[in-house]
Amino acid sequence: MARDVSSQPFDENSLVERLRDRSLSALAEAYVRYGPIVYQTALRTAGCPADASDVLQDVFLRLPASIQGFEGRGSLRGWLRKVALRSALIRCRARRRRAEVSLNVALSCATRDKTLAPVDRVALQRAVATLSPCQRTVFFLSEIQGYSHQEIADVLGIRRGTSEVRLFRARQRLRRQLTA
C-alpha cells in the first residue's frame, strides 16, 4: 500500500532512516518534498535551467549513497541545499573553463522586486554579470539566498573574511556599474 505523505505528520528522522535503507518510496517522498528547494538553489547558483535540472537529477540519483554522510546536525532540507550548492558550483567551475556562465535566469529571480523599473532590472542583470565568478557566487549566496558569511565560508571552503571581502567588492562594483 502506498504511503499518503500528506495525511501523516512529517518525521524527518524516519525519512532519513528510510533513505539510508535505500527505500524508493522514501526517495520519491524526499524528491517531492525537497526537489523544488534543490532546483531553486541550483538555478540561482548555476544560472541556467538546464544546469539546475542536471544538478537536481545528480543530487537525487546520488542521494541513496550520499545520505550516509548526513550526520543529522541540521535539517535534511539544509543539508540538501548544501549538497545542491556544491554540485552547482562544481558544474559552474567546469563550465567556466569552457565559457562564461550565464546568470540571466538567476538574475530574473533576484530582480523580482516590483519597485524596480524594467530598465533598472536589466541594468542590474548586466552589472551582476560583470562580477567575477567568485564575487557573483558570494553575492547570490548572501543577498539572494540569505546565507551568513560563516555558512558561505563553510560551503565554499574559504575563510569567513574572504567571503566578507568578496561581498564588499561585489557591492562596490555594482554601485559603480549602476551609478555610471
Side-chain angles (χ1 to χ4, degrees), residues 3 9 12 17 27 37 39 48 50 54 63 69 75 77-78 94 107 119 123 134 137-138 149 151 179:
R3 273 181 79 152
E12 189 174 88
E17 287 308 313
L27 187 59
I37 295 163
Y39 180 81
C48 123
D54 288 346
L63 185 58
S75 69
R77 175 181 190 229
L107 289 172
V119 175
C134 295
T137 300
V138 172
H149 284 293
E151 290 171 325
T179 58

Side-chain angles (χ1 to χ4, degrees), residues 86-141:
R86 286 186 189 119
S87 182
L89 288 172
I90 289 168
R91 186 167 290 280
C92 284
R93 286 182 193 127
R95 174 186 266 203
R96 192 172 57 227
R97 287 183 212 122
R98 296 185 305 268
E100 278 293 314
V101 177
S102 167
L103 292 173
N104 291 339
V105 174
L107 289 172
S108 67
C109 293
T111 59
R112 286 189 197 143
D113 184 0
K114 302 301 181 200
T115 61
L116 291 177
V119 175
D120 294 334
R121 281 187 229 145
V122 170
L124 179 60
Q125 289 176 343
R126 287 184 180 146
V128 172
T130 67
L131 297 175
S132 73
C134 295
Q135 290 174 351
R136 208 174 328 165
T137 300
V138 172
F139 177 79
F140 277 111
L141 291 176

Side-chain angles (χ1 to χ4, degrees), residues 31 33-49 51-57 59-60 77 80-85 88 103 105-112 140-141 144-147:
Y31 183 83
R33 186 173 296 280
Y34 301 115
I37 295 163
V38 169
Y39 180 81
Q40 283 301 315
T41 300
L43 182 61
R44 289 179 178 161
T45 305
C48 123
D51 284 345
S53 293
D54 288 346
V55 168
L56 175 68
Q57 185 176 17
V59 167
F60 283 97
R77 175 181 190 229
L80 283 171
R81 284 182 73 190
K82 287 181 182 180
V83 170
L85 178 63
L103 292 173
V105 174
L107 289 172
S108 67
C109 293
T111 59
R112 286 189 197 143
F140 277 111
L141 291 176
I144 308 304
Q145 294 187 352
Y147 280 66

Side-chain angles (χ1 to χ4, degrees), residues 5-23:
V5 175
S6 62
S7 68
Q8 297 179 0
F10 177 64
D11 180 11
E12 189 174 88
N13 293 331
S14 170
L15 178 61
V16 169
E17 287 308 313
R18 292 185 304 126
L19 285 168
R20 286 186 173 142
D21 292 338
R22 298 182 182 267
S23 163

